[in-house]
Amino acid sequence: MLYKTEFKIKAVFLMLILMTASFFSANAQEKAKPEDTEAWEPIPKVVTPGKTNSNAPSDALILFDGKNTDQWVSTDDRSLPAKWTVDDGILTVKKGTGNIETKSSFGNYQLHIEWRIPANITGSGQARGNSGLFLASTGKGDDGYELQILDSYNNKTYVNGQAGSIYKQFSPLVNANKKPGEWQSYDVIWTAPIFNADGTLKNNAHVTVLFNGVVIQNNTALLGPTRYIGKPVYTPHGPLPIKLQAHGDKSEPISYRNIWVREL
Ligand code: MG
C-alpha cells in the first residue's frame, strides 16, 4: 500500500515537471519575433547583370570578347601566346598549335562559354567536333578536369564521352545538343577540390552545368582529373587556369565566343 502511494506521488511529480517544461517552451515560442531571424549584414554587393544571359555581368572577368586572345596562353609553353584564330568576333581552334589556357588561375567560379560545331562537320564518334573545356588545367596537354565538347546532336559514342559529360566519369543527365552550325552555351558552376595538409582529399571537386539552359550536371562530385586511360586519381593543387582543347581529330575546327568568368 505504502509502495503504491509512493509510486503515485512520483508519477504526479513527474507530470508536473513535464507540464511546466512544455508551458515555458510554448511561451518562449510565442515571445519569439520575426526580427529574431532577420540578417541585415553583410550587404551583398551590387552586380549589374548582362543584357542577356550571354553577356557578362559587371563583376565578370572577360576571357574572350571577340577581339583578341590577350587573356590566354599556350598550354604547353605558358611563355608563348595562344595561337588560335580570332576572326569576326569568333575564336576558332587552330589544330596543331595545341591547347590554350587562361593567364589567370581560379578556385571556385561561375563561367559562361559559347561554342559552335561547324555546319559542315564530318567524322564520327570522338572524331566529330571534339574539343573540351578543362575546368581546371592541372598541367600540359590534356591534364585536368574535362567537360567534354563534341558534336552529340546525332553522333553515337560512349555516353560518358558525349557533349556535356565529365569525360569518362559522368554522362550528362540529358542530351540538350543543338544542330551543328548553331551556337550553344555552357554555364558552369565549379567548386574546386579541397585537400588536407597531408595532401589527402578533403572534398571532391563539384560541378553544375547548364547546357543551352538545361541542367546536365547537378552538383556532380568528380572522381579526380579526367583521364583517357585508367582510373582518376586526385593530386593536391590550388587555383588553376581554365583550358580549351585543340583535339587531334581530323574534323573541321570548332569555334568559341562570349567567354567570361566570375570568381566565387
Ligand atoms: Mg575533348
Side-chain angles (χ1 to χ4, degrees):
M1 194 64 192
L2 184 66
Y3 172 78
K4 265 192 179 171
T5 313
E6 215 171 88
F7 182 76
K8 270 186 192 164
I9 290 170
K10 271 187 183 165
V12 168
F13 191 64
L14 191 67
M15 263 174 63
L16 273 173
I17 289 176
L18 285 173
M19 281 165 71
T20 315
S22 73
F23 170 80
F24 277 113
S25 130
N27 219 29
Q29 279 292 326
E30 272 163 31
K31 286 212 174 123
K33 297 187 291 292
E35 296 80 40
D36 296 345
T37 43
E38 291 172 1
W40 285 76
E41 53 192 10
I43 297 172
K45 93 179 166 174
V46 173
V47 169
T48 310
K51 261 189 193 154
T52 72
N53 289 351
S54 295
N55 302 112
S58 57
D59 64 344
L61 170 67
I62 313 281
L63 294 176
F64 179 68
D65 65 355
K67 294 189 186 90
N68 56 58
T69 52
D70 288 0
Q71 291 292 331
W72 301 81
V73 293
S74 195
T75 295
D76 290 338
D77 183 348
R78 286 184 51 88
S79 70
L80 298 177
K83 294 179 187 117
W84 292 10
T85 312
V86 178
D87 188 31
D88 203 18
I90 293 166
L91 172 66
T92 299
V93 179
K94 196 167 183 183
K95 302 229 177 191
T97 67
N99 297 346
I100 65 170
E101 63 187 33
T102 54
K103 280 182 182 168
S104 307
S105 290
F106 305 92
N108 304 337
Y109 61 79
Q110 171 189 356
L111 177 130
H112 176 88
I113 188 165
E114 295 170 27
W115 51 274
R116 186 181 63 185
I117 303 286
N120 63 340
I121 192 74
T122 57
S124 65
Q126 292 290 309
R128 186 179 170 88
N130 198 331
S131 182
L133 170 65
F134 288 86
L135 303 163
S137 170
T138 56
K140 292 185 179 185
D142 291 345
D143 287 354
Y145 306 81
E146 185 183 10
L147 170 64
Q148 178 67 303
I149 293 175
L150 186 75
D151 175 27
S152 293
Y153 182 73
N154 186 12
N155 174 33
K156 196 167 184 179
T157 187
Y158 41 96
V159 292
N160 61 356
Q162 74 178 67
S165 65
I166 300 303
Y167 186 70
K168 287 194 168 172
Q169 293 186 23
F170 298 98
S171 310
L173 296 171
V174 293
N175 181 337
N177 282 259
K178 292 183 182 176
K179 274 189 198 130
E182 292 185 29
W183 282 102
Q184 318 202 55
S185 64
Y186 279 157
D187 286 282
V188 176
I189 301 163
W190 171 252
T191 306
I194 301 173
F195 299 91
N196 295 306
D198 66 358
T200 54
L201 183 69
K202 187 175 180 193
N203 279 328
N204 295 52
H206 284 74
V207 73
T208 294
V209 182
L210 281 78
F211 183 16
N212 299 323
V214 179
V215 174
I216 56 160
Q217 298 288 347
N218 182 13
N219 202 29
T220 302
L222 278 75
L223 307 174
T226 52
R227 294 175 77 176
Y228 182 44
I229 299 169
K231 296 225 153 117
V233 181
Y234 274 106
T235 314
H237 62 76
L240 290 170
I242 294 163
K243 177 160 69 184
L244 295 173
Q245 186 183 42
H247 191 267
D249 73 74
K250 298 280 183 286
S251 66
E252 294 69 16
I254 88 158
S255 297
Y256 291 94
R257 71 176 186 190
N258 287 335
I259 313 175
W260 50 261
V261 64
R262 295 180 60 244
E263 287 192 80
L264 301 174

